[in-house]
Structure formats: C-alpha cells, structure tokens
Amino acid sequence: MRRGSIASLIGIGVVAGGIAAAVALALPWLPTSASAEADRIQPLFWFVIVICIVVFAVVMAVILYSIVYFRAAPDDDSDGPPIHGHTGLEIVWTLIPTVLVTAIGIVSAIVLGRNDALGANVLHVNVTAQQFAWSFSYPDANGLTSGTLRLPKDRSVLLTFTSKDVIHSFWVPEFSQKQDTVPGITTRVHITPNRLGTFPVICTELCGLGHSVMRTQAIVMSPAAFDKWLHSQAKAVASPSSGVAGAAVFKNNQCGACHTLKAAGATATTGPDLDKLPALAQGAGKPLEDFVRQSIVDPNAYVAKGYPRNVMPATFGKALSKQELDALVQYLVSSSKKG
Ligand code: CUA
C-alpha cells in the first residue's frame, strides 16, 4: 500500500465522517428525555450512531478512493489481475466488527437490565387499547379509569397492556420506549418519569381508519398532586350520581376521541357529531333512544351519510356491561336533546 493512498483514504474518510456527524448533530433527532429509562436509552443511541458514522466514513473512503484510482480506462477490456486474498486484511475486517458488535451488545444488555429493574413501591397501571382510544386504569385505586395517563414523578411505573381488537402500539417520545398491544396477550413496559410536564401518547401501529387520531396525553405530576388526583377521582367512582355515570362511561371509553359532544367538551370529527343525534335518528327512521342503543351495539346497522363503514368498531358495545350501556344511552339521549 502506498503512503499517498493512505493519506487519500484518511482525507476522504474525514470528509465523509464530518458530513455524517454534522447531519447527526445539527438536527434534533431525539426529544428531551422525561424518564430515567430514556436517560439511559439516549446515550446508547448516540453510542451506536457514533460507531455507525466511523464505519460509514471508512467504507465511503475505500469506495470513493477505488472509484477514482482503480478505474479501468475506457478502452481497457482485459480481465483484472487474479487475487488470492490478504489474510491480514481479512483478520482485521473480521475482528473490528466483532469487537464493535460485541460492545453494542454488552452496553445494550446493561441498559435493558437496568431499565427493567423495578424500583420500590411500584405503581401499576393497566392500559387498554382499542380502535381508536387509550384508557388507563389504576388497580390500586379501586380500578379508577382515566383517558389520560397520569403519573407521579420519580416513581417506578409498570404499564401492563391489553388490546380489545387489533394490534396497537404505545409510544411516548419523551419516554423513548414503544410497546405493542396485542389481542390475547399482555405486554409490559417499565417507566420512571423524572420530569414534570405533559407529553403526547401516540399509537404507532397502523390500526385502522382512526389510527392518526388515537392519541392522548401523559401527564407527569408531583407525587403529592398525583395522590390528590387519585383520591378525588376514586371518590367520584365510588359515588356516581345518575348523570355522572353516563358521562364517566363516555369518558372512560374515549368516545370523545372520535365524536363531538358539547356536554362532554368533546370536539373530534372522525365520527358523526353526537349533538346531532336527534336529526340522525330521524334520518334513520328510528326513535332516538333505540337509534342510539343500536348505533353503539351494532354501529354498521346505520351509518350516517359521509362516514365510512367499519370505523366504529363492531365490538364497541360488547365491551360495555348492561348498566354501562344503559347509562351511556341515557347520557347521549339527554345531552343531545340539550345540544
Ligand atoms: Cu391504534 Cu394506531
């Protein structure tokens, strides 16, 4: 190997590596971390990226150098020289990747192990995914259910996921972890939030027509504020007055993720406007209460004009108990008459 060729290779490598590093550092690829786990995952991400940039620079240097200096002349139709390999070079290009991949494996295993280790006093949250909403229940607080994920800061949280219909995927970018929710099995993720704030909860598995609206919020609160919220909510669950129960069913089943209903402060437009239920019932030629009940239990029986079939899951009504269904029907009938 000539000395000049080594200098050229290094020059090309530095330029290619510099461009890759500039792109890697100039763009804000990762959101500001909000959990102890993300604080470990993000350095691991950069560790792998730096290795990738170095490998990229070396490969680009060899390729560009070869293109420029080993190019055959336009009229040269002869075969290349017979090559018998270079044992030293082969050992080097086997050893270096082995060391790099092993290092990535070891560091990843350490991060995984530490991220999975639960802290003391774990908060359990059961997460249910369905088309097209999330609900979060707190088994230690009488099964209190909420449409937003509220979490105390600096406490170990174990999320257990189930799905009522198809595969969804739970993602909070600031927590740097994703977890699929799969019908028939339960999956888990451990999070220790360490920054106060409100972060988006996003479904990141294409799950149907309402996939893009399958979002809610994760709210990280101080432990005192979280306990206060938990107690106030648990009380509301324990003593529902008749009007509140239907509103709670509406809220817990995330009807507001797809529908508008003034009484519930819901403004989504994926499904028909529930303040216009009396007019829709008239269009369907049914008494209001029967129409509302049918639309929940068998959504495809009558689909409002301008809305596609099968967006509202046919399983929606089956997930409700008889009392919940009755309460929801009463709530929608009375709210829509007011609206
Ligand atoms: Cu649920 Cu996408």
Side-chain angles (χ1 to χ4, degrees):
M1 197 116 159
R2 288 161 291 149
R3 186 159 294 163
S5 66
I6 300 255
S8 300
L9 281 174
I10 291 174
I12 297 168
V14 167
V15 171
I19 293 172
V23 171
L25 295 173
L27 301 178
W29 295 105
L30 302 179
T32 309
S33 140
S35 74
E37 290 70 28
D39 286 344
R40 296 182 197 113
I41 291 169
Q42 295 194 353
L44 172 62
F45 174 85
W46 287 114
F47 174 65
V48 175
I49 289 292
V50 166
I51 290 176
C52 291
I53 288 176
V54 173
V55 171
F56 172 79
V58 170
V59 171
M60 285 314 284
V62 172
I63 289 175
L64 291 177
Y65 183 87
S66 305
I67 288 174
V68 173
Y69 291 99
F70 298 142
R71 200 182 181 83
D75 56 349
D76 180 2
D77 292 331
S78 64
D79 284 339
I83 291 174
H84 281 279
H86 187 299
T87 309
L89 195 59
E90 283 179 21
I91 288 173
V92 168
W93 78 37
T94 305
L95 266 184
I96 292 177
T98 304
V99 169
L100 292 179
V101 171
T102 307
I104 292 174
I106 290 171
V107 177
S108 302
I110 292 171
V111 168
L112 260 182
R114 290 185 62 191
N115 278 1
D116 282 350
L118 301 179
N121 188 23
V122 176
L123 172 72
H124 292 268
V125 182
N126 295 330
V127 183
T128 306
Q130 69 187 93
Q131 290 168 317
F132 298 97
W134 300 99
S135 70
F136 307 93
S137 82
Y138 298 78
D140 306 333
N142 270 332
L144 155 70
T145 304
S146 167
T148 49
L149 174 60
R150 288 177 187 261
L151 301 173
K153 184 173 171 276
D154 296 325
R155 182 166 161 196
S156 235
V157 181
L158 188 63
L159 301 174
T160 304
F161 298 91
T162 51
S163 169
K164 283 188 184 171
D165 36 48
V166 300
I167 300 177
H168 305 271
S169 185
F170 174 90
W171 183 40
V172 175
E174 286 80 0
F175 294 160
S176 290
Q177 298 186 81
K178 282 182 180 173
Q179 181 60 63
D180 276 8
T181 75
V182 185
I185 66 169
T186 57
T187 48
R188 284 185 177 77
V189 117
H190 173 229
I191 296 171
T192 315
N194 61 5
R195 185 158 65 88
L196 297 177
T198 301
F199 312 108
V201 174
I202 299 168
C203 175
T204 168
E205 181 73 53
L206 185 58
C207 55
L209 275 171
H211 162 67
S212 61
V213 298
M214 189 167 164
R215 286 169 173 243
T216 182
Q217 291 175 321
I219 303 172
V220 179
M221 316 166 82
S222 72
F226 176 77
D227 283 341
K228 207 170 146 199
W229 172 79
L230 212 57
H231 284 129
S232 69
Q233 295 294 307
K235 244 182 239 156
V237 172
S239 59
S241 69
S242 59
V244 171
V249 176
F250 185 90
K251 192 165 153 260
N252 293 343
N253 289 280
Q254 296 293 306
C255 306
C258 292
H259 293 284
T260 290
L261 183 70
K262 269 193 215 126
T267 56
T269 54
T270 304
D273 183 342
L274 299 181
D275 289 315
K276 303 206 170 84
L277 280 172
L280 289 169
Q282 226 167 33
K286 281 205 140 199
L288 178 56
E289 185 172 332
D290 294 357
F291 173 71
V292 172
R293 186 175 297 271
Q294 172 193 282
S295 298
I296 296 169
V297 178
D298 184 9
N300 282 324
Y302 175 84
V303 178
K305 234 185 248 142
Y307 294 91
R309 299 170 62 81
N310 293 316
V311 178
M312 170 116 171
T315 52
F316 191 88
K318 297 186 184 81
L320 302 174
S321 70
K322 172 143 190 344
Q323 287 90 329
E324 286 174 321
L325 179 61
D326 290 343
L328 182 59
V329 170
Q330 286 315 317
Y331 175 67
L332 289 173
V333 166
S334 64
S335 310
S336 66
K337 275 183 182 159
K338 272 180 247 157

